[in-house]
Amino acid sequence: MSEAPYQVIAAELRRRIESGELRPGDRVPSTRALVRDFGVAMATATKALQALQQDRLVHAAPGVGTVVGPPPRSRRTEAAGSRDGDLNQDEVVRTGIAIADAEGLAALSMRRIATELGVSTMALYRYVGGKDALVIRMVDAAIGEFPLGELPEHWRDTVTLVARTHWAAYRKHLWLASAISLSRPQLVPRLLPHTDAVLGALRGVGKSAALSTVISLFAYVRGIALVMEAEAQAEQDTGVTADEWVTQQTDQLALMIAAGNLTAFRELLADGFDYDYDLDQLFEFGLGVFLDGLAARLR
């Protein structure tokens, strides 16, 4: 009987680990890299990494990815389910955040968390409900790491504070932006005070205008953050930074500009113009434009 695709991938990674090609602490290919290299679905790539995690050959390292070696804690040496009664909601949520920080939301599953904690999958449902409910709790915990504190008196300072607080949260937890919905906003307890702060700062402009401002502000910050998440994943998968990628495209871009007679582009790139593509600076620039436009609208 032939092996399942996830077993083939797991076997290849296991071979690299056992041969020393991948050493303890080295990052193994991400799920997206496995999808690209082996031509499989994301679920198959995730299952392959889960198989290695169950064998304690790899573990999720926050901010790094999946790396070679057993997890720092030894709980997975216990039989699955032996800790079912020794579990708490915060532990489940924090484990979910650690996995999402390291590998993204695509790698998150109830089974994966159960494996990390050494509990049965069904035990998790008693503490956090299903995966959707867990993600909301993860969002709430992540936002809770960035309290607003005392609000400034001026509306512009308050809006700026909320925007920069969200940006800081998105910067620390790259998965957070994709977990938050604007079209069907989740009821996140620690996020509601942020909305309330902006609404309060814009009293007197009209209910519709105030709510539209909140949605527009959150959409702007989240939109830039989604770029940050995608870029971090692309760099992890390819090893090529954004600046290096742009350099690789320069010749092709020049040909396309010439062929399309794109005069504005040609003027922009004349004399060796070099644009510093820094997302923090881009965020601050866009926030300034947003605030200036809002100020003109309020006047």
Side-chain angles (χ1 to χ4, degrees):
M1 181 180 297
S2 60
E3 292 183 316
Y6 86 90
Q7 292 175 319
V8 173
I9 299 173
E12 169 58 21
L13 294 178
R14 186 178 288 106
R15 181 196 66 77
R16 297 180 192 177
I17 294 171
E18 292 175 348
S19 68
E21 183 179 342
L22 289 173
R23 300 182 179 183
D26 285 351
R27 189 176 65 191
V28 301
S30 67
T31 50
R32 292 190 184 184
L34 295 176
V35 167
R36 180 195 65 222
D37 296 342
F38 289 88
V40 296
M42 181 66 73
T44 300
T46 299
K47 193 173 181 180
L49 292 182
Q50 287 175 343
L52 296 177
Q53 288 155 3
Q54 290 173 346
D55 292 340
R56 303 184 72 247
L57 290 175
V58 301
H59 72 277
V64 179
T66 300
V67 300
V68 177
R73 295 173 295 180
S74 61
R75 286 172 177 162
R76 294 204 297 179
T77 61
E78 306 172 25
S82 64
R83 295 190 60 243
D84 285 7
D86 181 34
L87 197 61
N88 62 72
Q89 186 180 99
D90 182 67
E91 187 176 16
V92 176
V93 172
R94 288 298 167 188
T95 300
I97 290 176
I99 293 171
D101 281 347
E103 301 177 49
L105 280 180
L108 184 71
S109 69
M110 302 297 275
R111 180 178 178 182
R112 169 71 181 280
I113 294 174
T115 300
E116 292 285 341
L117 291 174
V119 301
S120 66
T121 304
M122 290 306 299
L124 298 181
Y125 290 91
R126 296 198 296 268
Y127 291 93
V128 294
K131 181 180 177 180
D132 290 343
L134 170 61
V135 171
I136 292 177
R137 294 183 188 279
M138 289 166 54
V139 171
D140 190 53
I143 290 293
E145 297 173 12
F146 299 86
L148 292 178
E150 185 176 352
L151 298 178
E153 293 184 6
H154 195 275
W155 70 263
R156 183 171 182 129
D157 294 333
T158 296
V159 174
T160 299
L161 172 64
V162 172
R164 287 177 176 167
T165 298
H166 283 205
W167 181 249
Y170 290 144
R171 260 203 149 300
K172 181 176 180 181
H173 303 290
L174 298 183
W175 54 271
L176 187 56
S178 59
I180 293 178
S181 173
L182 291 178
S183 61
R184 299 187 179 187
Q186 306 97 323
L187 299 179
V188 180
R190 291 188 178 96
L191 193 55
L192 290 177
H194 297 215
T195 303
D196 188 74
V198 180
L199 289 174
L202 299 176
R203 285 192 180 97
V205 304
K207 295 180 179 179
S208 179
L211 186 56
S212 292
T213 299
V214 170
I215 297 172
S216 299
L217 176 69
F218 288 6
Y220 165 69
V221 183
R222 178 178 177 270
I224 298 292
L226 287 172
V227 175
M228 183 165 54
E229 178 191 24
E231 171 53 32
Q233 188 64 59
E235 184 172 338
Q236 183 185 70
D237 290 346
T238 65
V240 178
T241 67
D243 288 339
E244 291 170 341
W245 184 87
V246 170
T247 300
Q248 294 173 2
Q249 310 301 314
T250 299
D251 292 342
Q252 182 64 25
L253 176 61
L255 291 174
M256 295 175 67
I257 291 173
N261 193 29
L262 306 176
T263 56
F265 254 121
R266 189 162 57 247
E267 292 170 3
L268 177 68
L269 300 179
D271 303 321
F273 173 71
D274 184 21
Y275 179 69
D276 183 13
Y277 185 71
D278 182 285
L279 284 176
D280 286 314
Q281 294 180 15
L282 187 62
F283 162 73
E284 288 292 341
F285 176 84
L287 178 60
V289 172
F290 182 93
L291 293 170
D292 290 345
L294 181 57
R297 181 68 180 266
L298 293 178
R299 286 195 295 268

